[in-house]
Amino acid sequence: MAPCIVFDVYKAPGSNITPQEFSRHVAQVHRVWGDQCSFDIRWRFQDSQGRPRLQDIGGPIVTHGLIPDGLIPPEALPFAPPELFEGPPNVLVCGDYNALPDNVLNPGSDPSYIKQWLNYRPGIPFDPNIPQSRFGQTRPLDIAVYYVQGPLLGDGSLGCGGYYTPSGPAIVIANNLPTINVPNVGEFTFPRTDLILAHEFGHILLQGLPEAGHVDDVNNIMFRGLLTANSFRVTPDQCNEARKSQYFQEC
């Protein structure tokens, strides 16, 4: 058997991820890490046609994260939904999983605990009439991905790769800010790049490097700033480092 990477992808309540957008995220993961590094990448949850799909999950349900200063232009601020600024930001700050609050009802999490949700990766029961269910049981080496509500995480980012839970590594991707309509001016949009999952996955693969692999090259998938349509490249050194990841498993 050859080594592969396996993703378990979940959609939490309130996430605005659609099957169409998710398919673009999947395509970019294969374009970046599959094609350029020759990695075998697989998806545990599939539809009847064998295509990767989102598995619904009950949480975490998160409120808004921190809205970074300057993200919303001044002329759009008066027309932004007020709920974006109400109450404290959610606690999903991208950092150490063990540093997340425990044994308390975390702000922005309802009805259960964010930390416990990120440690929960349910599979699908085996059904002899559903061929895809033969591979429905998750493993600690799987990369779990949770698309959550937000918008934004507690530190104002859209994604985090990753949280290292007792059940395995976890990536979180939050909703982008909603479109803001400004009379006599137009729409202000805040799109979520299709490269976001490939970028956060890169942090998992390159976790042993400084800043978990961030680089200064705007054309590289691990660029530390705002990704562009051309930020999809990886270097041979990045592929070689990623190949050392402990999260490859026999497939």
Side-chain angles (χ1 to χ4, degrees):
M1 293 189 293
C4 73
I5 290 284
V6 180
F7 281 92
D8 311 330
V9 187
Y10 301 98
K11 179 180 180 180
S15 169
N16 64 5
I17 187 72
T18 64
Q20 294 76 19
E21 184 183 7
F22 174 57
S23 70
R24 298 197 300 271
H25 292 189
V26 168
Q28 293 294 350
V29 169
H30 285 280
R31 178 192 191 191
V32 173
W33 298 106
D35 295 347
Q36 296 181 76
C37 296
S38 299
F39 293 163
D40 183 358
I41 298 169
R42 306 190 184 190
W43 307 82
R44 188 163 299 285
F45 306 130
Q46 302 176 8
D47 65 17
S48 60
Q49 304 300 313
R51 295 171 298 206
R53 69 169 180 84
L54 297 152
Q55 176 77 1
D56 288 334
I57 193 172
I61 303 172
V62 298
T63 57
H64 70 85
L66 177 70
I67 312 296
D69 291 341
L71 181 60
I72 300 176
E75 62 268 36
L77 274 173
F79 303 94
E83 59 268 20
L84 293 180
F85 310 96
E86 294 173 351
N90 65 62
V91 299
L92 278 169
V93 174
C94 195
D96 182 9
Y97 168 80
N98 292 313
L100 290 173
D102 200 7
N103 298 324
V104 295
L105 190 63
N106 296 332
S109 178
D110 180 38
S112 194
Y113 309 117
I114 285 178
K115 191 171 182 180
Q116 282 82 345
W117 277 114
L118 297 184
N119 189 39
Y120 181 49
R121 47 180 68 193
I124 54 176
F126 173 69
D127 184 333
N129 298 314
I130 304 177
Q132 290 77 19
S133 70
R134 292 190 306 139
F135 310 105
Q137 298 309 303
T138 63
R139 300 175 182 176
L141 291 178
D142 294 358
I143 312 294
V145 181
Y146 302 84
Y147 285 91
V148 303
Q149 181 176 255
L152 305 177
L153 304 182
D155 54 7
S157 60
L158 273 175
C160 179
Y163 298 100
Y164 297 95
T165 82
S167 296
I171 292 170
V172 174
I173 298 176
N175 289 352
N176 49 319
L177 287 176
T179 297
I180 300 174
N181 292 291
V182 179
N184 303 318
V185 175
E187 291 185 342
F188 288 83
T189 61
F190 308 87
R192 177 170 51 195
T193 173
D194 289 340
L195 290 163
I196 189 168
L197 180 54
H199 177 89
E200 302 304 340
F201 175 40
H203 284 309
I204 301 288
L205 293 175
L206 303 172
Q207 67 179 109
L209 296 181
E211 296 187 62
H214 270 153
V215 299
D216 293 322
D217 181 2
V218 68
N219 293 319
N220 192 281
I221 187 60
M222 300 312 297
F223 179 55
R224 70 180 70 255
L226 188 65
L227 300 178
T228 73
N230 292 320
S231 303
F232 62 86
R233 295 174 176 83
V234 292
T235 66
D237 285 346
Q238 285 174 313
C239 290
N240 290 334
E241 183 66 28
R243 199 168 279 112
K244 301 174 187 176
S245 173
Q246 63 183 300
Y247 298 113
F248 283 92
Q249 54 186 292
E250 294 299 317
C251 293

